[in-house]
Structures are given as structure tokens and as C-alpha cells.
Amino acid sequence: MSINNLTSELVHLPDAPAIPGLTFRPFRGESDYPAMAAIFNDSQAADPFEEVFTPEHIANQYTHLVNCDPYRDVLCAEVNGELVGYKQVFWRVDSEGNWLYRHVGYLLPQWQRRGIGRAMLRHSERRLREIAAGHQATSPRFFHSQAADTQPGAEALLRSEGYTPVRYKYAMVQETLDEIPDLPLPEGLDVRPAQPEHYRAIWGAMLEAFCDHWGYVPPTDEDYAGWLTEPEFDPSLWRVAWDGDQVAGAVMGLISEAEIAARNLKRGWVDDVWVRRPWRKRGLAHALLAQSLQLFKERGMTQAGLEVDTENSTGALRVYESVGFRAARRASIYRKPLD
């Protein structure tokens, strides 16, 4: 079946609620991006720690999808021809061999808790079972999603459909950048500006640093290409430590102009903090984090935010607390056995 034919037909959901004008259809391509960005932002408006998306963010994501055919794996909900929500499925295999069949979805607040989300979740599971049927998996397989404590309806839905929280993440905030500690780098290391010829080495070092973390999913070349073209990709906000010609660790920050415009909040984001194993337990993460906060302050930011796995094996939570970050929101990762 051609994409044109596929996108022209409506999708029947047997669990759909009886709402006048409610229909479901496949993704139609880039013409959907503006409405998708608006739905994402409106559905997350109650959570000040969620990203703010523009159509450019959606375009970059959908240009570099991995294990997802958007014309088959994205479902759109409309009421009287207006897009009100969408749901995406995809799959990955983590470093422990778990097959993770993921689904994410967003629905405008006025249409939440009316049965639409449940119908779309069940449709996603059916689609993921179709995908899983083509895999020769001998290790555990799970449906996988997440919801924050700012989304009680989403959490209640997942629990009622048999999902169990298996891991937690904190969104943490540093509410002022007035008292940033001055912490020296470990002896023998120095920080250098990240140049384009360094990007692949920095990427490889980052993957090595994260490979022993819970739930790690080995990225692909498509993930790398998407990373380079993210709207907020700004290596001038990175602090990368080198030991000779070896990357030892980094703190990689970002500033979202879309978030600043939408929320009138000058918050810099500590996007990734990592140190390769030979350089751990020497205070490097502390020192780079302090430098990153100072850089945010120089760029006019008044606070900083980050996310952390609450059970991170390298002690990241303690590091962030030691420089003044506090937990402000908890998100739960939910799973349900597929078999």
C-alpha cells in the first residue's frame, strides 16, 4: 500500500469513546509538525520541567527516527478535523538484552480523561505486538513508557492497564546562580573548546561513559546525526575535560530559546554529565558542573535544571545535591511484560 493511500484512510479503534467528531488517522508528514508541537506544549503546560518544542524540534526528531516508521507507527486523534493528540511507538534493545517496546503520547488537556488516551494506548500495544512478532527475541520483552508526578492521569492510566514503575528520575533545579562554588580541575586535566573535529570523539567518549548505566540503549549513526542537528545544539555551552588527547569527561549544557520565550524563565539545562571510568572519583564532575553553572550565569541565565536517575550507580544524585540542586519533580519509568 502506498503512503498516500495509507494516510488517506481512517483508523478504527475498537476501544474509542463515543465522542462526536472523534476520528483517528495515520501521520501525514511535515504538515502535522506545527499541530504536534502545539499539542506537546499544551499537554505539558502544567509541568515547568518539560521541554518546549517547536515544529523544528519535531522535524528533527522525525527526520532521524530509529525503529519507527511514522506512517505506520504514529497515530493521530482528531475532533472535527482538528488534531488533538498523537501517539508514537518504537522499539530498542538495551545493553542487558531487554527488548523495549516503547510508546509515548500527548493529548490536549481538554480531551484528557475522556477515554481517548486509553484507546490510543491499547492501539499502541496492538501495533507493538505486530512489530514484536517479527523479532526472534529470546530475552525479556516489555512494553515501556513513562509519566511524571505532574501527570496523575497518565500515571493512573498506565497503572490501570497493568504497568508497574521500575525506575525513577528526578527533575532537579538550582534556583539561583548567585553562589557557584569555585572547584579546581583534577591535576593534569584541562578544558578546551569543542571544535567540529572533536564531536565524534566526544560522542564516543560519552557513549563509553554511559554504557554501564541502567537502561542504556546503544545509539546508532542516525542518533548521532540527529544529535548534531538538534535545534539547541551548542558546543559553546559544553565543558569538556581532556587528559592529553583523551576525553576524560564533560558537562554538556543547553539553553532553550523556545522555553525562555514560552515561560519567561531564564533556565539553563545541564543536559549530560559524564566521566569515563579511569577518571572517576577525582572530583571532575563537580568541577565541570561548577564551570557549566558559571557559564549559564555569564549567558544571562538565573537558574539551572537537570534530570537524574535516582539510583545512578556513579552517585550523580549526591554530586548534584552537593552543588545546590534540589529535587522538584519525580518521573516514573513504567513497564509491562509483553509476553
Side-chain angles (χ1 to χ4, degrees), residues 1 70 72 82 84 112 117 146 150 162 169 176 178 196 199 204 221 232 242 263 277 307 328 331 339:
M1 180 180 292
R72 295 185 180 274
E82 296 293 327
V84 300
Q112 294 174 12
Q146 76 173 53
T150 53
K169 298 188 296 183
T176 176
D178 293 337
Y199 295 165
D221 286 342
E232 281 97 14
W242 295 77
R263 297 187 175 139
R277 188 175 292 276
E307 282 196 345
D339 298 311

Side-chain angles (χ1 to χ4, degrees), residues 29 56 75 91 145 151 160 176 180 199 208 238 252 261 274 279:
E56 290 71 29
L75 178 71
W91 61 273
S145 193
Q151 303 168 303
S160 71
T176 176
I180 302 170
Y199 295 165
E208 179 188 316
W238 300 355
M252 307 169 81
W274 49 271
W279 291 273

Side-chain angles (χ1 to χ4, degrees), residues 56 61 95 100 165 168 179-180 187 215 262:
E56 290 71 29
Q61 282 188 352
S95 58
L100 305 178
Y168 302 98
E179 297 182 6
I180 302 170
E187 186 175 353

Side-chain angles (χ1 to χ4, degrees), residues 58-107:
I58 302 291
N60 188 60
Q61 282 188 352
Y62 277 58
T63 299
H64 301 287
L65 290 172
V66 176
N67 298 336
C68 175
D69 175 356
Y71 295 99
R72 295 185 180 274
D73 299 332
V74 175
L75 178 71
C76 296
E78 293 185 331
V79 175
N80 297 324
E82 296 293 327
L83 198 63
V84 300
Y86 65 98
K87 188 90 173 174
Q88 176 193 350
V89 304
F90 59 104
W91 61 273
R92 292 287 184 110
V93 181
D94 71 16
S95 58
E96 296 179 355
N98 297 308
W99 291 69
L100 305 178
Y101 295 90
R102 302 185 176 190
H103 55 88
V104 296
Y106 309 98
L107 191 62

Side-chain angles (χ1 to χ4, degrees), residues 91-336:
W91 61 273
R92 292 287 184 110
V93 181
D94 71 16
S95 58
E96 296 179 355
N98 297 308
W99 291 69
L100 305 178
Y101 295 90
R102 302 185 176 190
H103 55 88
V104 296
Y106 309 98
L107 191 62
L108 290 176
Q110 62 268 35
W111 296 105
Q112 294 174 12
R113 303 201 181 203
R114 300 180 64 174
I116 300 174
R118 187 179 302 276
M120 295 180 79
L121 184 153
R122 291 177 177 175
H123 173 84
S124 294
E125 289 186 351
R126 289 191 293 271
R127 174 59 184 149
L128 287 168
R129 287 190 185 279
E130 291 177 358
I131 294 170
H135 295 156
Q136 300 298 315
T138 58
S139 51
R141 304 192 299 179
F142 300 95
F143 294 120
H144 179 108
S145 193
Q146 76 173 53
D149 56 13
T150 53
Q151 303 168 303
E155 290 201 303
L157 173 59
L158 288 168
R159 290 174 183 268
S160 71
E161 291 292 320
Y163 288 75
T164 302
V166 296
R167 199 82 168 190
Y168 302 98
K169 298 188 296 183
Y170 284 151
M172 306 188 75
V173 64
Q174 175 83 282
E175 293 184 338
T176 176
L177 300 179
D178 293 337
E179 297 182 6
I180 302 170
D182 183 13
L183 303 174
L185 288 169
E187 186 175 353
L189 303 184
D190 65 297
V191 172
R192 307 171 199 164
Q195 303 295 340
E197 60 268 26
H198 301 149
Y199 295 165
R200 183 56 97 159
I202 293 169
W203 171 262
M206 178 172 63
L207 302 193
E208 179 188 316
F210 282 134
C211 72
D212 55 1
H213 288 205
W214 182 88
Y216 173 76
V217 173
T220 67
D221 286 342
E222 196 63 53
D223 293 308
Y224 178 68
W227 180 65
L228 292 176
T229 53
E230 288 176 352
E232 281 97 14
F233 184 81
D234 184 357
S236 73
L237 288 168
W238 300 355
R239 286 296 175 262
V240 183
W242 295 77
D243 188 345
D245 61 355
Q246 293 290 310
V247 179
V251 172
M252 307 169 81
L254 67 83
I255 292 173
S256 171
E257 296 300 333
E259 179 186 52
I260 292 171
R263 297 187 175 139
N264 193 29
L265 180 63
K266 294 187 176 181
R267 177 192 292 149
W269 283 95
V270 180
D271 205 33
D272 288 299
V273 180
W274 49 271
V275 176
R276 293 171 66 196
R277 188 175 292 276
W279 291 273
R280 292 177 183 170
K281 308 298 183 183
R282 295 170 58 184
L284 178 56
H286 282 86
L288 292 175
L289 188 56
Q291 289 193 20
S292 183
L293 295 177
Q294 184 61 45
L295 182 55
F296 287 152
K297 184 176 181 178
E298 292 170 2
R299 296 284 183 93
M301 301 299 102
T302 58
Q303 60 175 247
L306 56 80
E307 282 196 345
V308 61
D309 175 1
T310 61
E311 300 176 55
N312 180 284
S313 61
T314 62
L317 180 58
R318 294 191 300 274
V319 171
Y320 303 147
E321 290 174 334
S322 72
V323 295
F325 282 90
R326 65 168 184 82
R329 183 204 66 182
R330 188 182 77 171
S332 303
I333 297 172
Y334 286 88
R335 287 183 182 173
K336 180 172 77 171

Side-chain angles (χ1 to χ4, degrees), residues 23 40 135 226:
T23 57
F40 177 91
H135 295 156

